Amino acid sequence: MTELLRAAGVSKRFGGLLAVDRVSLAMAPGAIHAVIGPNGAGKTTLFNCLTSFTPPSAGEIWLQGARIDGLRPDLVAARGIARTYQNIRLFPDLTALENIMVGLGVRRPETLLGALLATPAHRATVAAVEARARALLLDLGLGGRGDRLARHLSYGDQRRLEIARALSVQPVLLLLDEPAAGMNPVESHAMMELIARIRDEHGVGILLIEHQMRVVMGISEQIHVLDHGVCIAAGTPAQIRADPAVIAAYLGARAAKHGMDALEKRA
Amino acid sequence: MSSLQVEELCVAYGKIQALRGISLQVPSGRICALVGANGAGKTTALNAICGLRPLVGGRVLLDGRDIAAVPPHDRVTLGLVQVPEGRRIFGRLTVAENLAMGAFRRRAMRSELQADLDEVLTLFPRLRERMAQLSGTLSGGEQQMLAMGRAMMAKPSLLLLDEPSMGLAPRLVDQIFETVTAINRLGVTVLLVEQNAFMALEIAETAYVLQSGEVVLSGTGAALIDSEAVQEAYLG
Amino acid sequence: MSGLLPRLQDGWRRATWVDVFLVALRLLVLGIVGYGFVAGLLHPRYGRDEWASFLVFGLVIGAIYALIALGYTMVYGILRMVNFAHGDVFMFGAYAACFTLIACNRNGLLATQPALSFALALLACMLVAAGLAILAERIAYRPFRRGRAMAPLISTLGLSFVLEYSARGMFGAQNKAFPSFPAIDGAVLVFGLSIPRVQLIVMLAAVLTMLVLTLVVMRTRMGTAMRAVAEDQDAAILMGINVDRVIVFTFALGGALAGVAGLLYGLVFKQISFFMGFFLGVKGFGAAVLGGIGNIPGAMLGGFSLGLVESLGPALFLEGIGVAAPYQLRDAIAYTMLVMVLIFRPRGLLGERLAVKRA
Amino acid sequence: MTILSSVLPRRLTALALAAGLLAGPAGLARAETLGPVTDPVGVVRIPRGAPILIGGLMVLSGPDLSLGLDASRGAEIAFDDRRNVLVGHPIRYLPEDGQCSVEGGQTGATRLAANRQIVGVIGTACSSEARGGAPILWNAGMPQAVTSATAPALTAPDRPVGLQGTVRFVYNDINAAAAAVRYAQAQTFTRVATLHDGSLYAEQLVRAFEAQFKAAGGTIVAAEAVAASDSDLRPVLTRIGTAKPELIFAPIFVGATAYLVRQAKEIGSLAGTPVLGTDAVMAPAFLEAAGDAAIGYRMTGINNDPAVLGQRYVDFRAKYLAKFGENPIGGFHGNGYDAALAMMLAIERVAVKDAEGNTYIGRAALRDALMRTAGLDGITGRLSCDPHGDCGASRFAVFEYTSGDPGSFQEGKNPRRVFQ
Amino acid sequence: MTLPARLEPLALARDATRLALAVTGACAGLVLVGLFGQFSNRWLVVGLLDIGHALMLAIALRAGMVAARGQSWAGAVPRALLCGALAGVLVVLLVMAARVANLRWMLVSLTPVTLNRVGYMLPEQQAMLLLAAGGAAAALLGTALVLLPPKARRLLMGALLGVVLAGLLRELIRSLLSGLGEIDGWAFSYDGLLPAGAMAAAGIGALAAARPGARHFAALPSRARLALQLLCLALLLLLPAVTNDFVAQVMMLVCLYTLMGLGLNVELGLAGLVDLGFVAFFAVGAYTVALLTAETAGVAHLGFFAALPFSVLFAALAGFLFGLPVLRVRGDYLAIATLGLGEVIRVLVLSDMLKPLLGGAQGIVDIPKPALFGVILGSPTRLFYLTAAFAALAGYCAWRLQHSGIGRRWLAVREDEDVAQALGINLVQVKLMAYTIGAAFAGLAGGLFAAMAGSVFPQSFQLLVSVNVLAVLVVGGIGSLPGVVVGAAALIGAPEVLRDLGEHRYLIYGLVIIAIVRFKPEGLSPAAIRQREVA
């Protein structure tokens, strides 16, 4: 089985700041991985490198055996990486349906003449795209909200719509940046289930950044911990939970001892 | 020295409830910590207190007085000063100019300002040698010091610190926290927002744990340090 | 550079037909410019005196562009908005100076106390222009501070019409002669070249004004606050800076500079009209963008380069090609340069690269 | 014919048109008999007591307004001088803005043409306005008294039908250029530089001058141009200076000429070179803008008998200042006055009254009367029209300013005549 | 918050004085910029009120409205009366001061005639009394407009608007109604609206404001409403045919700007590309038709309809070639880069260098009028229908595009370039397509323009055209197709109809732009999608 994603020694430098420092990771198709770490650890920058939004300063990124680092972002997307954003970035003045149709349209482009003359072929394409978009909406629990402006959707709906839009480009790898941010435990749980279901039904690999450990620990197969741009630990949730370096990074160096004590107490 | 009282604070970003009615007490002359995971609403709380975010509900009382009518830039003259998250120093200004901006609202004598400057530079000796440097070229730790020094130039009676340890090397983190206690000893009430929970709880007299825009736990710092709830809040 | 080869290889890997087109375009423009330049050199038409004159003319008009550009750039630096009415603020400054001098002339002050008259005119033009700039902020900017960028653009455009045609209604449609200043007539010899005294004075005054501005921006409390607000409004509020007041101050400062430009323009060109603000405003805007809008030294550099290109460009590049009436094309040269700079240095000559972190 | 019956067919045609049936081409208004008058183009009936309407089509806004607004104000003073009464009817002057462009001229002309009561039009000011507006006006049977559109084509012998209502009360470029050439030859200048500002007017004059001057054996040593918005002409003057011309022919407008004469003095190599312009600059406004730099500046102008000028112009200026608060703003106020005067005289000649006191004016008759204007003592001189409608005197002289004081402006003295 | 009773009169006097000063300032401005001078000898209602004083009264009326804000009748009426009367007195005092100071060397509009007209040529005391009374009355009216119950307010407003519109648009109305019978003499004279006509206009205005049919209209099924609206549109389209050529000419200009607006809307409204050099493509289109059809140009001598596709094609090509390098530039930088391109084109067209080809300042003349099946489309009415047909076609294309996948991609790029790219959208391709299509629309408009004008001169392709198109878009509502039409009607049509403003046209134009942007920042007819959401 070929690897879905392989990043080797990816670094990103902004002026004097090394935001991502030689990070490597590998994912199998359909896997769910998580990247965690404190604020400013370089998680989002890593996502930006993977999607070519800010190409890495060094290192290589391979998707399904093809090298993609430095490729134009739209070509990376065409190869099958889609993402969501930490602070939701929908197209606010488009309806929910249109948001998704933008993504679907990229894969099924319309011709100018077809659009102008409304040829039967064009109408068939439009109908197909719209049907597919409605199906996606329904799939993510947004049925019936397709004609509302994205900006007027509730927060949770916006999060789900963003995921739906990412899915609309038929990716092989989905990057989710804090999908459960700002949600209460019940909502987070629902999001967790949704993510797992998406992986199962769409067969995509999922790499997510998340702070709510409940979510991360619940669904991730592998966790990568970033601190100051460096990957300080990687492993299964259980391994990570017990890793002193991780606790130190999260709760403070001097408190690492405390943290260990506390963990031991609980264990 | 001032006391701060926050009652049932509610803030929303559009339809998203960022704070769902939090109440805090920061007694005069103390250090109070506000801890919680990312996205719990800590920064929003500080911005609401400073007036940068409109309130949906609730009150902010400084020394018992409701400051709702005071525009944000005038809150500085009341002694309410924030060191924002990510330092937000003016990178294209020199260190000296940044510090001068801290004292922007003070109509003090030159000599008095000089004395305050000396005091700040005693707190942050590293800044003294970099006075003429563009602050954007400082290292992360120095920038944090500058941000705090700049705030100190405003002669705060209540200092709000937002994640002073973010992105700093452990050695520097220690240093920053020592400075925080030093500032507190100078007679400044401190409200400290931290992700680095244990560190914050160690120096704080009282503390609140925030989760999803609500206070889930409060007590003395020492009492919270060992509580499972804190662990829970971070590591799930 | 050691990284050059890999970068070239990398670049080749990513090159698209757009890049190829751009390279071809660059070569084409460089080729035309180079050909014109060399051909011009082979058939010299101008002597040393002419070249020196072109230089001086360019610097003088460039100084005026620069002063106007500063107003655009300062406002842009803080609000990221373009003030279309700025050229008309400049025009009103020129009228204010003109009428002050006429008044001085009427009671004989101009002849007996030229320095005082000049000072009065300077004061008047700066006050009037600053006042109008503040008005512009009130009417066309404050209501839209948090809105979309198009609304203030269009409302300043409307304001520009209003100012222009108010001036026409108030001061008349004719070209107004600027009172002559006998004290600064005549020419001086500089390095063996005869240069009209007024041009020297204007250049000097412009440079002095820019120095004063630099001092204000770099050394005063308010200037520092301006830079702070330009960089981070919220952080500035947290320092107790009243952002509204700083913005008003910025407008006033930019307006005052435009007023000075109006006075200097009057001194050099000796006539003013209600319509002149539009063209010079557009040029000043161009100069600000050329230098990198939002950047104060950039505006000065942009102004002087625009002035120099306008005055030297046709002689330097078009002469050799044998174009008919090359000076008719100087706006085309100026704008072509502007477009080229923007294509190949999208943030202007001194502008900063795109902000580092976005997401 | 009552209004109702004249309108109904029009409405029916329009409805048919809207239904998709495009009716035959619209031509000139057809022959008409109204009251005592029959006219091949049409008749205007002015009921007793109703005003007589005279339109205006001139640039009134935008950068060129000093051409049209100036002329329009001149026309207003001409009406004032007649106490706004003509053949027993009050005069209503309806000026429209032609914006110095084809489309502006078109729009203004359509508006005037829509008002069938208008008998004639003062203007146009720009040749481009005439291109757009004149055919529309003449299609409606309204002759125009042109104030400052100087393109030769407007009164060319072979001009198209649309321009046949155009009568010009300003000089024609070809004549002005010829005068300039004669002057250059008389001064034995062989090396002349030309300069235009990209305006239709100046470019045309320059080209006419160049052609005639070369034909007469002269050399054009530099043919330069600037942009209309330029105020810094020194670089281009420096360039001209390197060609060492004996004369600069620059038929540009007041503002640009003022820049030119001031800045030419700053260019060493042009210090003694005379600059020649046209009538457009023969106005106090120029002295106001150029000041003492105007001294020595020359222009071609109508060769007037000093007897017809003198005090009249002084009075005119006083009225202008009193009415509009400023001195004449351009160079064509006199042409505006004269055009209005000629229009009024022509109307008087063709107007016919019936017993009830209604007045009838034949449109073709009015045009012909306007074209036959002869010996009219106007502000710009004594005007007589040629068979093609050119009434700007073709006898030219060259004038030179002797003083920069606008108050001293008096044709014949300042500027004084230096060549005829 | 209640004030102690004895402070009430003081607050009242302060409010009234402040307002009166503002009114006086505005009136002084009116006089200074010459608006009053020009309009004071034109009647709004013959023998009763001239337009100049009507403007002054409008200012006082507005002050009365402000005075009534947050007040009851008892508080508002004295404020309004005091403010209006005080302002009247102050204006006359200012006039007296102006006579003494004599600033005419600086302020040309302060002619004695104008100053006398302010006070109706009356002696000063009487003028003061008259203006004070008028000001007070107008302010009172303003107060009433705010405080009356909604129904009465609507009626009053309607009556006022009726009179003002009838007075300003008298020529249009006369030409519209001339078919219905003799209205000259009792409703209108050559000088303007007669008092009887004013009464009638007030009545009609009030009736229209009462909107007796509004409820029935709302109650109609949507299909019937649509039919009614279409009927209105059809009637509007018939307007040029039943009125006169001037109406046709103005409506044609509106259509022309609509066409350009639709093009710029593709660039700016849909794809978010600010373009201040739009006029360049307009020029390309116009010159293409001119070169290919004019007898004098001697290139091809094609017919108009054969040449028009070329103007679209060449404009699109120009858009493509410009867009390629320039579209890498973002935001405000793009604005100035395109502005530069537009100016370069204009300078080149005008230049002596290209004169042999393009005619320089002399332009290209004698462009034949279009001929369709042997019918020459020469009159403004026919050209209007031609332009309207093309505008409708362009509108249809724009509508198709906006609601197709291509349009969605443009919108996505406008809303968030980075995200759009991360979804796999090729930014260069998508932006370039928008720019090219926008240019094609402009080229079409240019071709029609050349045919309409019959000649093209470089002077017709000023920066102002680009700016006007942009203003049309913003005023109408960026991204909204009906908005383009509304914006063009408001900014291009209205000033042409109000040509009486003459030399003050641009002053009013500027004021209107400021007012619209200030009070309707989303435009007069914002993008439909927002309306849908709000409803």
Side-chain angles (χ1 to χ4, degrees), chain C residues 2-355:
Chain C
S2 59
L4 190 63
L5 199 66
R7 261 177 57 200
L8 266 178
Q9 284 175 338
D10 223 32
W12 184 244
R13 186 162 64 95
R14 286 177 213 159
T16 61
W17 58 278
V18 180
D19 299 307
V20 176
F21 178 87
L22 285 176
V23 170
L25 180 73
R26 196 190 299 223
L27 290 179
L28 180 74
V29 171
L30 284 179
I32 293 176
V33 166
Y35 173 78
F37 183 64
V38 172
L41 279 186
L42 291 180
H43 305 281
R45 179 185 179 124
Y46 305 107
R48 191 185 71 120
D49 286 5
E50 277 87 18
W51 286 114
S53 307
F54 286 146
L55 200 70
V56 173
F57 300 151
L59 288 175
V60 170
I61 189 83
I64 288 166
Y65 289 157
L67 285 173
I68 300 175
L70 282 168
Y72 279 108
T73 234
M74 284 194 295
V75 167
Y76 191 90
I78 288 194
L79 291 176
R80 316 276 147 203
M81 288 174 184
V82 178
N83 178 6
F84 257 125
H86 191 64
D88 300 296
V89 170
F90 153 83
M91 177 265 295
F92 262 89
Y95 269 100
C98 178
F99 286 123
T100 313
L101 288 179
I102 291 177
C104 288
N105 198 13
R106 291 177 139 221
N107 55 32
L109 208 62
L110 193 64
T112 54
Q113 296 273 357
L116 179 65
S117 309
F118 185 84
L120 281 176
L122 193 65
L123 196 70
C125 69
M126 288 172 77
L127 281 180
V128 166
L132 275 181
I134 293 173
L135 188 77
E137 197 266 343
R138 260 295 150 83
I139 292 178
Y141 283 91
R142 194 164 296 183
F144 311 109
R145 192 79 56 81
R146 309 233 174 260
R148 289 201 166 191
M150 274 292 129
L153 190 83
I154 297 299
S155 72
T156 53
L157 188 79
L159 187 64
S160 161
F161 282 122
V162 171
L163 288 180
E164 227 161 75
Y165 285 87
S166 302
R168 191 203 72 83
M170 286 196 281
F171 310 132
Q174 60 190 336
N175 286 282
K176 193 103 198 147
F178 210 76
S180 65
F181 228 109
I184 55 172
D185 282 349
V188 262
L189 280 181
V190 180
F191 303 119
L193 295 168
S194 159
I195 297 174
R197 187 175 289 157
V198 58
Q199 295 184 0
L200 279 184
I201 289 177
V202 164
M203 262 191 282
L204 217 68
V207 170
L208 211 67
T209 311
M210 288 180 216
L211 269 179
V212 171
L213 173 79
T214 313
L215 281 181
V216 167
V217 173
M218 299 310 288
R219 289 274 181 273
T220 65
R221 207 170 83 100
M222 207 58 187
T224 320
M226 264 173 63
R227 287 183 287 143
V229 171
E231 201 167 324
D232 191 333
Q233 286 203 13
D234 278 353
I237 292 176
L238 290 178
M239 293 300 107
I241 296 171
N242 184 341
V243 171
D244 279 349
R245 202 173 296 165
V246 172
I247 289 174
V248 168
F249 177 78
T250 310
F251 269 89
L253 197 60
L257 290 175
V260 175
L263 170 67
L264 299 184
Y265 179 91
L267 288 179
V268 179
F269 297 109
K270 301 200 178 70
Q271 67 171 331
I272 57 178
S273 75
F274 75 96
F275 213 82
M276 70 186 195
F278 183 74
F279 297 109
L280 280 148
V282 170
K283 285 284 174 63
F285 181 31
V289 172
L290 184 65
I293 194 159
N295 180 313
I296 288 179
M300 300 184 199
L301 180 70
F304 282 114
S305 357
L306 196 63
L308 283 177
V309 165
E310 280 191 10
S311 132
L312 285 167
L316 213 52
F317 308 129
L318 296 185
E319 197 73 60
I321 305 177
V323 169
Y327 273 93
Q328 194 181 25
L329 298 179
R330 73 174 177 183
D331 278 8
I333 296 187
Y335 284 116
T336 307
M337 175 184 75
L338 187 64
V339 173
M340 285 295 148
V341 167
L342 286 181
I343 292 173
F344 296 112
R345 255 195 89 84
R347 298 257 138 181
L349 293 175
L350 293 189
E352 282 159 39
R353 297 269 161 194
L354 266 169

Side-chain angles (χ1 to χ4, degrees), chain E residues 362-426:
Chain E
Q362 307 305 317
I364 299 174
V365 296
D366 295 333
I367 300 167
K369 295 285 177 197
L372 195 61
F373 306 120
V375 179
I376 295 168
L377 306 178
S379 72
T381 310
R382 289 176 189 178
L383 280 168
F384 161 71
Y385 286 112
L386 179 70
T387 316
F390 276 109
L393 180 69
Y396 173 76
C397 289
W399 179 77
R400 287 291 323 167
L401 284 174
Q402 187 167 357
H403 294 91
S404 72
I406 296 165
R408 273 194 301 276
R409 259 176 276 169
W410 286 333
L411 288 176
V413 169
R414 180 192 74 185
E415 304 257 304
D416 196 328
E417 251 180 49
D418 301 330
V419 173
Q421 198 177 21
L423 281 176
I425 290 176
N426 183 342

Side-chain angles (χ1 to χ4, degrees), chain E residues 266-277:
Chain E
V266 170
E267 292 181 9
L268 176 66
L270 302 186
L273 305 167
V274 189
D275 187 354
L276 286 179

